[in-house]
Amino acid sequence: MQPSFLRRRVLVAAAPDDRKAIELVKVMRSLGLTVIMATTIGLAAQADEVAVCVIILHPDTWRGTPSIITAMRQHPRHMIPVLEAPMNLPRGSWAIEPFYLMDAPLETARALVGLIRQHLQTMLEHEQAMSLQQTQLHPWLRSPDACAPTFPPPKKPVSNLLHYLLLSWPLAFVLCVSFLAYYFFQLNATINTQANTTPTVVSTWRDHPYSVAVPGVGCDPGSADWILSGAYKEQPIEPAESKAGRATPPAQLIQDKSIISTCQQDGALLTHISHYDTFASMIFASKGLPLPQHYATQITATSVNTSPAAVFKFGVRDQSGSDMSGTESGYGNDVLQLGVNGAWELVRYGNSSNAVEKRYARGFVTPAQSYKLSADSNGPVMSFSINDQHIATIIDAAYADSYGISFGLRDPGIHTPPSVLFSHFSYMPLAATYAGTPEASASATAQAIKTGMLATPYIASVPGFGCDPGTGQWQPITEADQHISTRCTAHGLSVAQKQGIRSVSRIPFYWQDGNFPTNYRLKVTVDLKRSNNAGLVWQHA
């Protein structure tokens, strides 16, 4: 008799009132599959008896749905996850990566049905191979054919029949034991083969260029995995009487639930409704698998409601998605942070807290309300650009892989919810080109940079932001902050201070990336036309 798990049926386990799941099943049936809609425990208990079991998961409801939990506990032999919203995939013997169920289920159903048919074809080939093996056996050892016609034997006298039974029972016993042993051996081989057979899955989006004008959760119609992510630390509140004689308890990590993403015609609007001084992030996640070692990516960030203190975030080595079970593994990332005032810095966040662990470079670009942020991540070598202008290349081998590309906003200077519009996202996997181990590459590059800085002096005939055409990083000067105004001339930088101001105003210079050599010499020419109190000030920052 054919084992029950080889029946050509598909079971879909879902919540009872899940309209998306109901529509998906209707489309799958219209495409020719025999589908059982399992919304009760009784039907879900058949999950281990069907050829394929499809589990419909929603991040907010799947744990409280008995039919889904029952189906997963049956350990189906071929279990396919279908997600209704981005989420961490629960532990299970999943056959493939998850599908995403959109509002219009036709495309999802077509892809799902195609994969299921491929799996059924694989099963059919195994059945045919088993049938061929049966035909090559001696007739006495073959499994009984359920379709073969049977003819009643001629009636014999009871005495003769009893005589024959008494004489032949030892031979019959031996034959039965041999047949049962062989049958269960073949059944076990089929089960093991079926359990270990995984259909060939085409390469995922990680291996192909990907772009979308409106990125983000619920906005991108493609197959990318977008996640809203934010975390901050908060000191627990204790009664005054319990604090006496006790050490201050450590800060608690709070998962930020105040991040809202809204789909707009020209992009995804990310809004933070509380804790404005922490980053609200949107992640182009990798579904728990590392991105290629070499890829290029970019996105446009446009300020919608921000203060002059707002900072955009663009991270290329996000570590938060490295565990498929959903356990938080840290906040490690290599990040370009860019203020709406034009100040930028490249930093590494530690993997055990959301604190900056190391600063690599800093500088300034022209302040703007919209920036195009670009990066090329090639193993430990990362290059960054702002508005198509290369700003810096850093070497950091702290994180071997990247599990996502993150974008975010924080605004410590605002009193209303800040918002940023992210648009025109692109991702391009490339062939890895860096040579040697990350450590060796980082050491050699760092040494080359150090040697070059020592050997090459920096000269600016006309210093100051917007006046120096070279790579020197000069901080932009605003009259409101510094009480001075600047003007580029053919002979130098003209500086004028407001009348009556007695405080010292500065024109900060940050070398080429914010990192000065240990030993250096400075020189500047000052023409005191209407002042006798100007000069060169050294200040270590």
Side-chain angles (χ1 to χ4, degrees):
M1 186 173 180
Q2 190 181 38
S4 61
F5 73 86
L6 292 180
R7 297 171 187 169
R8 322 199 78 71
R9 296 185 299 171
V10 177
L11 184 142
V12 177
D17 299 324
D18 192 335
R19 299 191 63 84
K20 287 185 178 180
I22 294 173
E23 291 299 321
L24 177 68
V25 170
K26 289 181 179 178
V27 177
M28 292 173 67
R29 288 171 176 169
S30 68
L31 294 175
L33 290 184
T34 302
V35 183
I36 301 172
M37 181 71 174
T39 58
T40 64
I41 294 178
L43 290 175
Q46 303 179 29
D48 62 336
E49 300 179 0
V50 297
V52 177
C53 179
V54 178
I55 309 293
I56 308 295
L57 299 170
H58 190 282
D60 299 330
T61 60
W62 75 269
R63 291 182 179 86
T65 306
S67 56
I68 293 177
I69 299 300
T70 300
M72 293 178 63
R73 287 177 177 173
Q74 300 303 309
H75 301 292
R77 302 186 181 279
H78 195 81
M79 187 166 62
I80 299 176
V82 176
L83 309 184
E84 294 186 314
M87 60 177 285
N88 290 317
L89 198 62
R91 294 185 184 276
S93 54
W94 305 106
I96 60 170
E97 291 185 299
F99 281 80
Y100 281 83
L101 183 56
M102 305 301 176
D103 292 332
L106 180 58
E107 293 302 321
T108 303
R110 284 176 176 170
L112 195 58
V113 168
L115 191 64
I116 291 174
R117 283 178 174 165
Q118 181 181 0
H119 176 67
L120 294 178
Q121 179 63 31
T122 303
M123 292 174 54
L124 178 61
E125 292 173 357
H126 280 290
E127 292 179 47
Q128 292 173 345
M130 289 298 301
S131 298
L132 181 60
Q133 291 179 6
Q134 286 285 332
T135 59
Q136 296 174 351
L137 296 176
H138 192 279
W140 283 10
L141 298 179
R142 294 178 188 170
S143 300
D145 189 353
C147 300
T150 58
F151 302 95
K155 293 184 179 180
K156 296 179 182 271
V158 177
S159 59
N160 292 341
L161 181 61
L162 182 60
H163 176 71
Y164 291 145
L165 287 175
L166 291 174
L167 293 177
S168 61
W169 74 265
L171 178 60
F173 176 80
V174 172
L175 291 176
C176 288
V177 170
S178 302
F179 168 76
L180 290 175
Y182 180 81
Y183 177 80
F184 284 108
F185 170 80
Q186 291 293 335
L187 178 60
N188 183 65
T190 304
I191 292 174
N192 290 336
T193 302
Q194 184 62 32
N196 295 328
T197 300
T198 302
T200 302
V201 181
V202 296
S203 56
T204 64
W205 53 266
R206 297 181 196 85
D207 306 317
H208 302 281
Y210 193 92
S211 62
V212 61
V214 183
V217 178
C219 304
D220 181 3
S223 59
D225 185 17
W226 293 97
I227 299 174
L228 294 180
S229 175
Y232 61 95
K233 288 193 172 183
E234 189 174 82
Q235 201 69 31
I237 300 176
E238 289 188 302
E241 58 272 15
S242 66
K243 292 182 179 180
R246 292 183 55 187
T248 303
Q252 295 178 348
L253 181 68
I254 308 297
Q255 292 298 327
D256 197 347
K257 304 294 185 181
S258 61
I259 305 171
I260 299 174
S261 178
T262 308
C263 305
Q264 306 287 330
Q265 185 175 1
D266 51 351
L269 185 67
L270 191 70
T271 303
H272 208 189
I273 62 176
S274 66
H275 311 291
Y276 309 148
D277 58 339
T278 61
F279 275 111
S281 301
M282 177 172 67
I283 302 176
F284 177 72
S286 63
K287 301 180 182 178
L289 299 176
L291 294 174
Q293 284 291 302
H294 191 188
Y295 66 86
T297 182
Q298 74 176 32
I299 198 166
T300 299
T302 303
S303 173
V304 176
N305 179 39
T306 61
S307 77
V311 178
F312 300 133
K313 166 187 174 182
F314 180 42
V316 297
R317 308 289 285 184
D318 194 282
Q319 301 294 302
S320 60
S322 60
D323 189 350
M324 285 288 285
S325 68
T327 302
E328 187 61 61
S329 61
Y331 312 93
N333 208 343
D334 287 294
V335 178
L336 164 62
Q337 297 183 162
L338 171 63
V340 295
N341 61 358
W344 61 264
E345 62 178 353
L346 294 174
V347 302
R348 180 179 75 214
Y349 280 89
N351 204 28
S352 58
S353 72
N354 56 355
V356 172
E357 192 171 70
K358 187 171 183 179
R359 284 181 168 84
Y360 286 98
R362 69 174 304 182
F364 304 89
V365 295
T366 302
Q369 293 297 304
S370 182
Y371 297 101
K372 182 167 73 171
L373 310 177
S374 308
D376 185 302
S377 179
N378 189 10
V381 183
M382 289 159 277
S383 298
F384 294 86
S385 299
I386 301 174
N387 293 337
D388 295 324
Q389 175 187 349
H390 177 261
I391 57 169
T393 296
I394 66 171
I395 308 291
D396 185 9
Y399 307 120
D401 294 299
S402 173
Y403 294 89
I405 304 167
S406 56
F407 322 99
L409 169 72
R410 69 178 180 91
D411 194 345
I414 201 169
H415 301 288
T416 58
S419 298
V420 57
L421 188 75
F422 288 117
S423 62
H424 300 94
F425 170 78
S426 67
Y427 161 82
M428 174 76 72
L430 303 169
T433 57
Y434 75 93
T437 64
E439 292 78 10
S441 178
S443 177
T445 305
Q447 184 62 38
I449 292 174
K450 182 178 179 181
T451 303
M453 292 175 65
L454 291 175
T456 306
Y458 188 81
I459 300 174
S461 299
V462 182
F465 184 85
C467 302
D468 178 9
T471 58
Q473 298 297 324
W474 300 88
Q475 182 173 337
I477 300 301
T478 61
E479 190 173 352
D481 294 336
Q482 293 281 0
H483 310 292
I484 60 175
S485 60
T486 59
R487 181 169 58 89
C488 305
T489 71
H491 305 288
L493 178 69
S494 175
V495 182
Q497 188 173 35
K498 284 185 177 180
Q499 188 174 2
I501 299 298
R502 296 184 178 275
S503 59
V504 176
S505 298
R506 300 171 300 158
I507 302 174
F509 174 60
Y510 292 88
W511 191 245
Q512 298 183 70
D513 61 358
N515 296 306
F516 282 82
T518 304
N519 302 314
Y520 59 89
R521 180 185 296 113
L522 295 176
K523 183 174 67 174
V524 66
T525 301
V526 180
D527 182 3
L528 301 178
K529 291 183 177 179
R530 291 185 297 174
S531 173
N532 59 0
N533 188 21
L536 185 65
V537 177
W538 179 87
Q539 181 178 358
H540 179 72

